Amino acid sequence: MQELRDLILNLSLLITLAVTYQIAVSRFPPGGRASGLLVGVVFGLVVIIGMTFPLTFIEGLIFDGRSVILSLAGLFGGPLVVGIAATMAAAYRFWIGGPGMVVGILTILAASALGILAYFVRQHLGGRLKGWMLYGFGLLVQLVMLTLFIQLPDGWRIVEHLGPTLLVTYPLATLFLGLLFQDYEAQARARTHLNELAYYDALTGLPNRTLLLESLDRALREEKPERRTHMLAIFNLDRFKTVNDARGHAIGDTLLKAVGNRLRSLSHPDDTVARISSDEFALLLCRSPDEQAGMTEQVSRIAHAMRSPLPVADEEIDVGVSVGATEFAAGSAHNASEVLRRADTALHQAKRRGGNQSVFFDAAMSAEVERRFAIEHDLRRALGETQLRLFLQSQFTADGQVVGAEVLVRWQHPQRGLLTPCEFVPIAEESDLIV
């Protein structure tokens, strides 16, 4: 009866391990160093707890689920995880001592080594094992354990006594936990993939507009704004559509990747590089107040380097780059969308000046944008309300005879009075109001 209770306790520890492993992989990215350290310690603690409540054959000879735990630690965690767990387990077994200490440590090393070997086999097979593979792996581990147990005093009797339990219960536990761990990993990968789709550009791997806005929000909400100053710069490829039309979308995609890689290589590791639209990239700089004066120079230097020809598919492609940038401080009243709008306003100013140049935002630009927006808005109403007036200007010969007339248009604005074409025609030409 005591053996049955001890066996149930060991199985309960395995279930606890499964739950803990699920929590670990859901909180930390699989394969990361932090995740490996945490999971290794968790596996090691479960092994130690299992050795604290073992199946005791005689004084100094203890049996527990360490072979299952350590083999799974190697299979799913790899060398780092099982190395930590095995070191903790071996140290604790050495501290316990007894006639079975040497064989006990050998079982720890053997289960860990088999787990590492299975880890690399699993990677070769694509990361997922079938049920019969997991059961076979668990059975192999227990056969090796029984072989080691033979070396104990009265080893054959121990094997005869514990063999059925080890060969039936523990392989099934390996199968059950292995399937659970694989499901947990699949769920973690799915969460990671969804996060990448939501926050990263699929083509370049750079953060997208959504993640950039979140980074801007964090920058604006910094607790000690006096320690940091920021600048947002938007880089637009002036002739990307021409390249796309002339060389095809495959070359266009390669060019965009090259642009992203170059911008990332020119930036500081603490800066955020993002792709925010088809041919636009953003750079968010964060500096100390002492470096504030150098941000404008750095953006200009990066813009100059970005205009150098890019090697793409056995040819070098010249791409003009227009840049709009704006500086902002943490703790200001602006929100992320407003900062992005200011940088975009400066970018449009650079495009209006002919492109391939850099413009830094100032307050006058915002007023000009508001003025142009208001004129376009009112002009659309003017077309429907017949506010445009036609005037005929006579044309004369040298001797003063009228030979024709030139038709002139004026806008009878309800608040601003009669407006000349130079005030509204350029804006109409930039919109769809003039065909």
Side-chain angles (χ1 to χ4, degrees):
M1 182 62 67
Q2 180 63 38
E3 291 181 0
L4 179 60
R5 285 198 297 269
D6 291 340
L7 178 61
I8 292 174
L9 177 61
N10 274 267
L11 292 177
S12 300
L13 286 173
L14 295 179
I15 295 173
T16 302
L17 173 65
V19 175
T20 307
Y21 185 78
Q22 181 189 25
I23 295 172
V25 298
S26 66
R27 295 292 185 272
F28 295 88
R33 183 171 296 275
S35 173
L37 292 172
L38 174 63
V39 175
V41 170
V42 168
F43 272 98
L45 289 174
V46 173
V47 171
I48 290 173
I49 294 172
M51 284 192 285
T52 305
F53 302 97
L55 296 170
T56 304
F57 191 74
I58 59 174
E59 186 66 27
L61 295 179
I62 62 173
F63 302 91
D64 49 72
R66 81 187 74 160
S67 58
V68 177
I69 299 170
L70 291 172
S71 62
L72 288 173
L75 176 60
F76 290 96
L80 174 62
V81 171
V82 76
I84 295 172
T87 300
M88 294 172 61
Y92 184 74
R93 186 63 188 91
F94 179 80
W95 180 74
I96 293 175
M101 179 190 68
V102 174
V103 173
I105 293 177
L106 287 176
T107 61
I108 291 172
L109 297 178
S112 301
L114 289 171
I116 293 174
L117 178 62
Y119 171 83
F120 290 110
V121 172
R122 179 170 174 251
Q123 300 303 310
H124 179 71
L125 295 177
R128 187 170 184 86
L129 299 178
K130 297 183 181 298
W132 66 268
M133 295 179 180
L134 288 169
Y135 182 82
F137 169 66
L139 186 61
L140 172 64
V141 170
Q142 299 313 315
L143 288 173
V144 172
M145 297 301 105
L146 290 175
T147 302
L148 292 173
F149 291 163
I150 294 175
Q151 313 307 316
L152 292 168
D154 206 8
W156 283 105
R157 193 162 67 89
I158 294 173
V159 170
E160 181 181 355
H161 182 75
L162 294 179
T165 299
L166 297 181
L167 293 178
V168 174
T169 306
Y170 285 174
L172 288 175
T174 302
L175 168 64
F176 173 73
L177 291 175
L179 292 175
L180 278 180
F181 287 1
Q182 289 188 149
D183 287 343
Y184 297 157
E185 289 183 340
Q187 293 170 11
R189 285 194 298 269
R191 285 193 297 269
T192 301
H193 181 61
L194 289 175
N195 181 73
E196 290 175 351
L197 291 176
Y199 292 106
Y200 291 88
D201 175 56
L203 178 64
T204 63
L206 296 173
N208 60 15
R209 188 186 190 90
T210 301
L211 186 53
L212 175 67
L213 288 171
E214 291 191 2
S215 299
L216 284 170
D217 276 330
R218 286 194 297 271
L220 289 164
R221 294 197 307 267
E222 285 182 353
E223 294 182 359
K224 298 181 178 179
E226 69 279 1
R227 295 186 179 181
R228 304 276 277 181
T229 186
H230 309 272
M231 178 172 286
L232 176 67
I234 300 178
F235 297 77
N236 178 268
L237 307 184
D238 290 334
R239 294 183 294 275
F240 177 69
K241 186 177 186 303
T242 302
V243 175
N244 234 9
D245 293 341
R247 292 291 184 265
H249 291 286
I251 297 297
D253 289 348
T254 305
L255 175 62
L256 290 171
K257 292 179 185 178
V259 170
N261 290 335
R262 174 174 286 184
L263 184 55
R264 187 159 39 191
S265 68
L266 294 169
S267 306
H268 191 275
D270 291 338
D271 297 340
T272 299
V273 178
R275 183 187 178 207
I276 57 176
S277 68
S278 62
D279 58 354
E280 285 187 356
F281 295 81
L283 173 63
L284 175 60
L285 300 89
C286 301
R287 297 289 185 273
S288 65
D290 295 339
E291 302 171 304
Q292 180 176 359
M295 287 195 300
T296 299
E297 180 183 348
Q298 182 181 358
V299 169
S300 298
R301 187 169 59 249
I302 291 174
H304 178 73
M306 292 291 291
R307 295 180 182 117
S308 301
L310 282 164
V312 176
D314 301 326
E315 65 175 316
E316 289 194 339
I317 298 179
D318 289 294
V319 180
V321 177
S322 296
V323 182
T326 184
E327 188 177 322
F328 65 96
S332 63
H334 304 304
N335 56 36
S337 298
E338 173 65 15
V339 173
L340 191 60
R341 186 192 68 81
R342 290 186 167 202
D344 202 42
T345 297
L347 174 64
H348 288 163
Q349 189 70 19
K351 302 286 278 187
R352 288 183 60 204
R353 294 177 184 177
N356 205 34
Q357 56 186 289
S358 303
V359 172
F360 294 86
F361 179 84
D362 61 49
M365 291 181 190
S366 184
E368 173 64 14
V369 169
E370 289 293 337
R371 185 189 71 83
R372 296 176 68 85
F373 178 79
I375 289 177
E376 181 180 340
H377 177 267
D378 291 346
L379 189 54
R380 292 183 183 277
R381 293 182 56 191
L383 292 174
E385 298 178 4
T386 63
Q387 295 176 10
L388 298 181
R389 302 285 188 264
L390 295 181
F391 296 85
L392 297 179
Q393 179 171 294
S394 301
Q395 295 177 327
F396 300 88
T397 63
D399 58 2
Q401 293 184 351
V402 178
V403 294
E406 179 183 4
V407 179
L408 303 178
V409 64
R410 298 291 184 269
W411 179 9
Q412 187 65 51
H413 194 281
Q415 283 82 39
R416 302 175 59 190
L418 196 64
L419 303 180
T420 61
C422 63
E423 297 184 70
F424 63 88
V425 169
I427 298 174
E429 290 175 338
E430 292 179 6
S431 64
D432 58 353
L433 297 176
I434 293 181
V435 181

